[in-house]
Amino acid sequence: QQQVKQSPQSLIVQKGGISIINCAYENTAFDYFPWYQQFPGKGPALLIAIRPDVSEKKEGRFTISFNKSAKQFSLHIMDSQPGDSATYFCAAGAGNNRKLIWGLGTSLAVNP
Amino acid sequence: SAVISQKPSRDICQRGTSLTIQCQVDSQVTMMFWYRQQPGQSLTLIATANQGSEATYESGFVIDKFPISRPNLTFSTLTVSNMSPEDSSIYLCSVETGMNTEAFFGQGTRLTVV
């Protein structure tokens, strides 16, 4: 049972465009929602994270939008660059249970 | 933040043998995690390793196959025992620091079993 559903599986965007990746969760106990970026041959690296007390968080070109009632959160990459080409994972965590539940990942390709 | 060194970065092993993967962190951390990741796939948690206690394994993973040591707050090992080609994967060490549940990852160990 996939507790965090991520879409799309793959995404192709032109340079300068907006990349949008969506995740939906089921467990209302989740209270931490990070996005990780992974380049080939590397471990995942934290990109940005949000908690349910805010609906949006922005760091540079990366924005998380969070909809608590819909149990959905999304990653927006503004002005996408070829260097953003990577696999992106959403995840969710709950309180004192420090394990993260991972989405299946989105392979993003930004064409020059 | 935390810097994680994972060794080896890759290995090719014969079936039936065992490989021990080392994870060294540059700071003391309470929780360490071991993941498996098939190329192009998501991360699957193998176990959580806390210093001073037995590792907690996820469903589908057992201690006899994946014994874990956690001798101190900066180091852990994962052994993949009696390997078969199905064990070919990327194994990742992860640590969590602070109260933000932020997880840091090593670069991974790419294991191929032949």
Side-chain angles (χ1 to χ4, degrees):
Chain A
Q1 180 182 6
Q2 188 66 31
Q3 294 190 50
V4 177
K5 296 181 180 180
Q6 184 173 345
S7 63
Q9 184 177 359
S10 62
L11 181 62
I12 300 174
V13 174
Q14 292 300 118
K15 179 181 176 181
I18 302 174
S19 304
I20 301 175
I21 306 171
N22 301 298
C23 282
Y25 63 97
E26 299 170 359
N27 188 346
T28 55
F30 288 147
D31 62 357
Y32 176 70
F33 304 91
W35 285 91
Y36 281 80
Q37 179 188 56
Q38 185 178 30
F39 293 105
K42 303 292 185 182
L46 180 67
L47 194 60
I48 186 172
I50 198 169
R51 293 195 179 272
D53 52 343
V54 297
S55 60
E56 186 176 281
K57 183 176 181 179
K58 183 176 182 179
E59 292 185 0
R61 297 185 293 110
F62 302 92
T63 299
I64 296 180
S65 297
F66 181 77
N67 186 329
K68 187 174 181 179
S69 61
K71 294 187 287 185
Q72 296 176 347
F73 58 108
S74 60
L75 175 69
H76 292 64
I77 305 175
M78 311 300 288
D79 186 26
S80 298
Q81 300 296 313
D84 297 330
S85 298
T87 300
Y88 293 81
F89 292 97
C90 65
N96 290 329
N97 181 357
R98 311 301 275 271
K99 292 189 305 184
L100 291 175
I101 308 301
W102 295 80
L104 295 182
T106 297
S107 177
L108 171 65
V110 181
N111 290 332
Chain B
S1 65
V3 177
I4 302 168
S5 298
Q6 197 172 327
K7 295 180 181 180
S9 60
R10 60 176 60 227
D11 208 341
I12 301 174
C13 300
Q14 296 291 323
R15 68 175 65 198
T17 63
S18 298
L19 176 71
T20 296
I21 303 168
Q22 299 180 4
C23 179
Q24 179 74 53
V25 190
D26 68 342
S27 59
Q28 294 184 342
V29 295
T30 302
M31 303 187 74
M32 297 182 76
F33 304 88
W34 287 98
Y35 286 88
R36 184 168 71 182
Q37 184 181 30
Q38 300 287 348
Q41 302 296 317
S42 188
L43 287 77
T44 300
L45 182 64
I46 297 172
T48 302
N50 293 333
Q51 195 269 338
S53 63
E54 294 287 327
T56 302
Y57 290 82
E58 298 299 304
S59 176
F61 298 96
V62 295
I63 187 171
D64 289 346
K65 176 67 175 176
F66 298 100
I68 290 172
S69 77
R70 182 79 200 275
N72 57 53
L73 291 174
T74 63
F75 187 78
S76 178
T77 66
L78 169 75
T79 298
V80 186
S81 304
N82 188 25
M83 289 183 286
S84 67
E86 290 71 34
D87 295 320
S88 297
S89 189
I90 300 167
Y91 292 85
L92 291 157
C93 169
S94 173
V95 304
E96 184 187 278
T97 64
M99 295 299 293
N100 291 324
T101 322
E102 180 173 350
F104 297 89
F105 286 83
Q107 81 277 13
T109 296
R110 181 179 289 269
L111 170 63
T112 302
V113 183
V114 298

